[in-house]
Amino acid sequence: MPIYTPPTEDMQYLLHDVLKIGGSGIPGYAELDREFTGAILGEAGKLAAEVLAPLNASGDAEGCQLENGVVRTPAGFKAAYDQICAGGWIGLDMPEEVGGQNMPYLINSAVGEMFVSANMALNMYQGLSHGAMSAILAHGSDEQKATYVPKMVAGSWSGTMNLTEPQCGTDLGLIRTRAEPQEDGTYAITGTKIWISAGEHDLTENIVHLVLARIPGGPEGIKGISLFIVPKFLPDENGAPGRRNGVACGGLEQKMGIHANATCVMNYDGATGFLIGEEHKGMRAMFTMMNEARLGVGLQGYAQGAVAYQNALAFAQERLQGRALGDPANPDGPADPILVHPDVRRNLMDQKSFVEGARALTFWGAQMIDRAHRMQDPEAEAMISLLTPVIKGFLTDKGFETTVLAQQTYGGTGFTRAAGAEQFVRDARIAMIYEGTNGVQSLDLVGRKLGLNGGKAVMAFFDLVKAFIAEHEDDAALKEDFLDPLKSASKDLQAAATYFMAEGMKTPENALAGSYDFMHLFGHVCLGLMWSRMAVASRAALAAAEGNAAFHEAKLVTGRYYMARQLPATALHLARIRSGAEPVMALDAANF
């Protein structure tokens, strides 16, 4: 059976040594000392390792079953979900007035990583509620907030997002679900939604669907879309689940992965819906859910890579095969562990350097969200808006790649169910697709975010990198191993951005054809910055003889590996971008 060890030491290091949260000035951060965050992460890690992780393989094998309109989740899921609720984990970063603990989003992200690594499918049931709660809090009426959010925070009710329909996914302007106004101020919702994660299940007493629909007579396209609350059971006068609404699960998707999460076809037949916000303004409310979901999906990508790496490393330390080129590592045994072989080391170092860099990037992004929301900081808001498609797209692409590398570490064993590696591969694959495919993320990055406000956000990122390099360039060792590679990679990113600025108006296809490479180029620069920041923190800790010396030495070695072996990929991406659209578009459609 696969193992899972919560990476609490690495998380504590990022929070306190790298991000230095105690001195950040962000409201709510001052109380986050090492002891306090250690207690939170310790309890969450215990739940992840002892309760959620043991159900991951069995839940995958059993899957969900649709019986008479009710979805039965795998054995043990209900009891595990109840433990999540009992610990208050669902409302960790929700406001206290709705029953939450008002912890920073950063802490919620750290806890979320452990839950996703332990059991991604199970975590999705409560994870989907988070986006729905955020949308209601941001755009709902006081009555809607009071009726739905406290129960969702407690976990007795859960939430979903209902966007996609059989004829449209990314292009939501094509949706057909209708919302007919009723005399009592409600709307009758009729239509079919597909691929609805956690759309029906037996974990909660009610499910609160947030549904995009079109009010007749409204504008065409996305300007005519509204957002509605459509509960499975209509709340009665006491706020308890009352009459069954006209919504039902019409089927379950048979999927490549996340078998234990119900992906549903949802049929709405005159269901009673309650408008959130204004008519025809549903896209604004929907993006409250979508942007949060994209950051969460980026986390899913590297979190699956993280648990896959842990298991691959354990296998490499135990599997005996061949001998080291020098002295035997296991002279009394028949062979050495495969960890002695350079190509296995390369494989594992690729995994380790990505996972730890991605964790740092995600935590930094979460800190920016806290700065934006808790301090009303427009610069932080602009920066995380710019980086959201990078975090979602790059981390899920590379996270999936990491699970494949981990599977490869096993050789033939990795292709069998018993090892568990193939489940990580299957589960990670969806993160590249949902909440906007990674191709869509790259188009959003280049087509919308790059030039927003005259390119102010991306220029701020370049200035941030330049300032970091200037601050530390007197450190000769740091300069050679980290700062010079980071400077070179950042110049590649600037050159690509300049190319897009020049070509975007003149020949838009040149920009769009290079968007995917730009997203990856940007992602590598972000991880190069993160590894450079970690190098500064670990060198300082070693100089002061503080903390675990072996931990900090390993950080520096891993960081040097990323800067030497992974960061040079920026030059390849830049060359592809500069080739323009001609190689991409030259082949006639009839000749594919």
Side-chain angles (χ1 to χ4, degrees):
M1 178 179 291
I3 61 168
Y4 177 62
T5 302
T8 51
E9 182 179 17
D10 198 44
M11 290 180 172
Q12 288 280 75
Y13 163 76
L14 290 175
L15 294 175
H16 300 287
D17 298 340
V18 179
L19 298 178
K20 300 183 183 299
I21 58 175
S24 67
I26 299 173
Y29 273 41
E31 64 190 53
L32 300 178
D33 58 29
R34 285 184 186 269
E35 182 178 0
F36 185 50
T37 59
I40 294 172
L41 298 179
E43 286 302 311
K46 183 179 179 181
L47 178 62
E50 298 180 6
V51 178
L52 307 186
L55 296 172
N56 196 38
S58 61
D60 177 70
E62 182 180 346
C64 295
Q65 306 297 323
L66 179 61
E67 301 174 356
N68 298 320
V70 176
V71 170
R72 306 298 180 190
T73 54
F77 269 45
K78 172 61 175 170
Y81 178 84
D82 288 346
Q83 288 195 51
I84 293 173
C85 297
W89 298 109
I90 295 176
L92 191 63
D93 66 332
M94 286 288 129
E96 292 181 3
E97 55 266 29
V98 293
Q101 300 182 51
N102 203 34
M103 288 286 105
Y105 184 75
L106 172 57
I107 301 300
N108 188 68
S109 296
V111 170
E113 181 201 321
M114 290 187 280
F115 288 0
V116 170
S117 288
N119 195 320
M120 179 171 162
L122 175 53
N123 185 69
M124 287 173 65
Y125 288 101
Q126 60 98 4
L128 268 296
S129 295
H130 198 279
M133 288 188 288
S134 295
I136 295 173
L137 287 173
H139 303 283
S141 66
D142 290 342
E143 181 182 0
Q144 289 169 343
K145 294 174 188 178
T147 299
Y148 297 100
V149 178
K151 294 180 176 63
M152 296 166 75
V153 166
S156 57
W157 293 12
S158 59
T160 71
M161 297 191 300
N162 280 235
L163 283 60
T164 306
E165 298 183 5
Q167 78 285 350
C168 67
T170 301
D171 190 352
L172 292 172
L174 300 177
I175 69 168
R176 298 172 184 163
T177 299
R178 303 189 318 279
E180 299 279 354
Q182 304 298 295
E183 292 183 359
D184 62 358
T186 64
Y187 294 78
I189 311 298
T190 301
T192 296
K193 299 290 184 176
I194 63 171
W195 304 340
I196 308 306
S197 299
E200 170 61 33
H201 55 81
D202 58 359
L203 302 181
T204 61
E205 63 181 14
N206 203 1
I207 302 173
V208 182
H209 302 291
L210 267 58
V211 183
L212 286 182
R214 191 179 299 282
I215 300 173
E220 295 296 321
I222 60 173
K223 294 182 179 180
I225 294 175
S226 302
L227 185 65
F228 301 88
I229 296 173
V230 187
K232 177 180 175 180
F233 294 98
L234 293 167
D236 63 19
E237 62 278 7
N238 298 315
R243 177 173 59 85
R244 178 68 189 257
N245 207 352
V247 53
C249 176
L252 293 180
E253 300 291 349
Q254 301 301 308
K255 312 184 298 289
M256 174 180 174
I258 52 170
H259 292 159
N261 189 268
T263 304
C264 303
V265 175
M266 301 302 299
N267 295 321
Y268 294 85
D269 185 10
T272 298
F274 306 90
L275 179 69
I276 296 180
E278 302 176 46
E279 290 187 353
H280 318 310
K281 302 294 184 182
M283 292 300 290
R284 181 174 60 183
M286 183 275 291
F287 271 109
T288 298
M289 297 185 290
M290 184 63 75
N291 287 332
E292 180 180 298
R294 286 174 174 171
L295 292 166
V297 170
L299 183 149
Q300 285 181 337
Y302 88 79
Q304 286 300 290
V307 66
Y309 163 69
Q310 284 189 11
N311 284 271
L313 175 61
F315 183 85
Q317 291 170 329
E318 298 173 359
R319 176 71 167 181
L320 302 181
Q321 188 167 306
R323 287 292 187 187
L325 293 177
D327 295 332
N330 181 32
D332 297 328
D336 289 335
I338 62 172
L339 187 59
V340 304
H341 303 305
D343 191 60
V344 175
R345 289 289 189 98
R346 171 203 58 78
N347 189 330
L348 291 167
M349 286 297 286
D350 281 350
Q351 297 171 51
K352 178 178 173 65
S353 63
F354 165 72
V355 165
E356 294 179 12
R359 179 177 295 125
L361 175 58
T362 302
F363 281 25
W364 181 48
Q367 185 183 38
M368 277 190 279
I369 291 175
D370 284 329
R371 182 175 295 278
H373 292 174
R374 291 176 175 239
M375 301 180 73
Q376 300 299 303
D377 185 337
E379 293 181 358
E381 184 72 47
M383 183 67 74
I384 192 58
S385 179
L386 172 71
L387 294 179
T388 292
V390 179
I391 291 172
K392 194 282 184 184
F394 183 70
L395 296 194
T396 58
D397 275 353
K398 302 298 286 187
F400 173 72
E401 181 182 310
T402 298
T403 64
V404 173
L405 289 171
Q407 184 186 35
Q408 189 73 12
T409 307
Y410 288 81
T413 301
F415 202 66
T416 66
R417 284 284 179 91
E422 57 85 36
Q423 184 187 347
F424 300 135
V425 173
R426 290 186 289 103
D427 286 353
R429 186 63 182 87
I430 185 57
M432 300 164 69
I433 297 173
Y434 60 14
E435 311 308 343
T437 66
N438 287 355
V440 170
Q441 302 305 313
S442 69
L443 295 177
D444 178 47
L445 175 63
V446 171
R448 293 181 63 248
K449 303 297 178 58
L450 188 60
L452 201 62
N453 296 322
K456 187 176 179 180
V458 76
M459 294 306 297
F461 179 83
F462 293 145
D463 289 343
L464 185 153
V465 174
K466 290 175 184 177
F468 175 84
I469 292 172
E471 181 182 357
H472 300 285
E473 61 185 355
D474 291 340
D475 187 327
L478 191 71
K479 183 177 185 298
E480 180 179 358
D481 294 338
F482 290 91
L483 302 185
D484 286 347
L486 176 60
K487 182 185 292 185
S488 177
S490 181
K491 287 181 177 179
D492 287 342
L493 183 63
Q494 292 176 61
T498 300
Y499 174 84
F500 287 149
M501 294 297 185
E503 294 291 325
M505 294 296 291
K506 183 175 64 177
T507 314
E509 280 190 341
N510 283 344
L512 299 181
S515 61
Y516 209 93
D517 280 285
F518 186 77
M519 181 178 72
H520 274 251
L521 199 168
F522 209 149
H524 278 297
V525 174
C526 286
L527 260 62
L529 176 61
M530 293 301 101
W531 274 114
S532 298
R533 292 181 67 177
M534 287 188 276
V536 169
S538 287
R539 283 172 60 82
L542 288 169
E546 295 176 349
N548 182 344
F551 174 90
H552 293 296
E553 290 287 359
K555 278 293 177 189
L556 292 171
V557 171
T558 306
R560 292 188 195 104
Y561 178 90
Y562 190 88
M563 306 305 278
R565 299 276 302 209
Q566 293 294 325
L567 197 56
T570 60
L572 169 63
H573 290 302
L574 177 59
R576 288 174 173 169
I577 288 168
R578 284 175 166 165
S579 72
E582 198 280 332
V584 176
M585 304 301 293
L587 187 63
D588 188 88
N591 293 328
F592 271 83

